[in-house]
Amino acid sequence: MNKRTIFIVGNWKMYKTVEESLTFLHDLLPQLPSLLQDKSLKVGLAVPFTSIQSMAEAAKESMLQIGAQNMHDASSGAFTGEIAARMLKEVGATFVILGHSERRKIFLEDNATIGRKLERALEEGLQPILCIGESLEEREKGNTEKIVAEQLEGALSSLKEEDLSSLVLAYEPIWAIGTGETATPEQAQEVHLFCRNWIRDKYSANLAEQMIIQYGGSVKPGNVADLLRQPDIDGLLIGGGSLEATNFAKVLEQVPSPQIQEQTQEALK
Ligand code: PGA
């Protein structure tokens, strides 16, 4: 049985002012206790920097975690326009998304930079969500595993097993992000299993078994249950589908309870 706690994270990207963020919370928070009931489920929202503090304060008594979408790898310094991990922690962020494909592609972040950010986040006690995933062209050439392995190796090369207990991976095939085209549960499961085995080979079975691996790319209420029934999919990273409180609540509603998950996984064997 999959004993990992499911971790669902909304990635708001560059959407929502502080006022809009708080309106969303106002709609979602009253529904959370009943949505999370009987489920082994952790929920987070990666919001714009400007919204972190007020969101974290407003969500303090709830089960909702607030996180960031990026950070710099230095602890401080002359880096105009950048933000450090300890600044994020101070205003209430508990996690940070690193290496999202938009950061890699538009802001030219490479695996080595992402690795340094990862190291800093861990050092400062921010839970990192490391995004990995291939483009359509890479998939069509049969290079998915090669690319994902390079991204893992590049970002994790200097990190030891004892540093990685809080690391979350997010497999996000680039061709599925914001396109409405989701990877099939089987396609996603195949890559998730590959990542878990990669972690097992490089580190240990123990770390591999406890690591949460999220799927991201056009997740919507209609495909949540099928994705999460796969044995190696332990959570979701959701962009567009997390922007409306009603829709995000529907996503949470679709998360199968542990009993149902266990039964399906037994049946899939
Ligand atoms: P999407 O984005 O759900 O809108 O496809 C996912 C992401 O970019 O993390």
Side-chain angles (χ1 to χ4, degrees):
M1 189 189 94
N2 178 354
K3 293 204 182 66
R4 296 173 289 269
T5 303
I6 290 174
F7 190 20
I8 310 278
V9 171
N11 172 16
W12 279 2
K13 310 193 179 185
M14 200 174 71
Y15 292 101
K16 294 193 195 293
T17 62
V18 175
E19 195 185 333
E20 289 160 355
S21 305
L22 292 173
T23 304
F24 176 106
L25 263 197
H26 182 81
D27 294 342
L28 181 73
L29 287 186
Q31 305 179 58
L32 262 193
S34 66
L35 287 168
L36 303 189
Q37 211 179 20
D38 302 329
K39 288 179 184 166
S40 159
L41 179 59
K42 229 171 77 170
V43 186
L45 285 173
V47 303
F49 293 139
T50 45
S51 290
I52 293 175
Q53 184 155 23
S54 32
M55 292 273 292
E57 273 166 19
K60 204 156 53 193
E61 307 296 325
S62 77
M63 316 275 288
L64 184 68
Q65 299 198 16
I66 303 299
Q69 304 166 17
N70 179 37
M71 51 169 258
H72 194 271
D73 60 86
S75 64
S76 62
F79 300 108
T80 303
E82 290 293 322
I83 194 112
R86 59 196 197 93
M87 298 171 183
L88 297 173
K89 270 208 87 174
E90 185 189 35
V91 291
T94 59
F95 69 92
V96 61
I97 297 176
L98 295 176
H100 189 281
S101 61
E102 285 151 16
R103 299 291 322 167
R104 291 177 190 263
K105 189 159 174 243
I106 308 169
F107 301 98
L108 309 179
E109 286 187 15
D110 57 16
N111 287 325
T113 309
I114 296 161
R116 287 195 303 274
K117 291 184 178 200
L118 194 60
E119 221 170 310
R120 176 68 61 191
L122 291 163
E123 225 173 272
E124 301 286 350
L126 264 184
Q127 179 167 43
I129 300 181
L130 171 66
C131 298
I132 51 180
E134 80 290 359
S135 66
L136 185 59
E137 198 189 343
E138 287 159 348
R139 173 163 280 265
E140 282 170 349
K141 283 190 183 146
N143 286 340
T144 300
E145 292 184 353
K146 176 175 166 278
I147 294 295
V148 165
E150 273 169 20
Q151 291 169 334
L152 288 170
E153 184 63 51
L156 300 180
S157 60
S158 62
L159 290 159
K160 296 190 200 62
E161 174 166 359
E162 56 269 30
D163 305 324
L164 296 179
S165 59
S166 73
L167 175 69
V168 172
L169 297 179
Y171 169 58
E172 298 206 301
I174 298 169
W175 47 272
I177 295 179
T179 57
E181 192 182 339
T182 324
T184 64
E186 294 73 23
Q187 277 173 325
Q189 164 59 23
E190 205 177 307
V191 184
H192 281 233
L193 182 60
F194 173 80
C195 294
R196 203 175 301 286
N197 287 337
W198 190 93
I199 295 287
R200 180 176 290 119
D201 293 346
K202 180 160 172 94
Y203 296 102
S204 70
N206 205 17
L207 184 66
E209 276 316 305
Q210 65 154 60
M211 190 162 290
I212 293 175
I213 310 181
Q214 299 175 321
Y215 166 80
S218 297
V219 173
K220 41 190 172 283
N223 53 29
V224 167
D226 285 344
L227 286 162
L228 289 176
R229 283 197 187 105
Q230 299 296 322
D232 291 288
I233 302 185
D234 318 306
L236 303 165
L237 187 54
I238 311 170
S242 70
L243 288 171
E244 298 293 331
T246 4
N247 202 56
F248 193 56
K250 278 192 195 143
V251 164
L252 300 179
E253 206 174 80
Q254 291 304 316
V255 174
S257 71
Q259 294 84 342
I260 297 179
Q261 240 188 321
E262 192 181 347
Q263 284 159 12
T264 327
Q265 283 169 15
E266 282 303 313
L268 284 172
K269 277 182 190 165

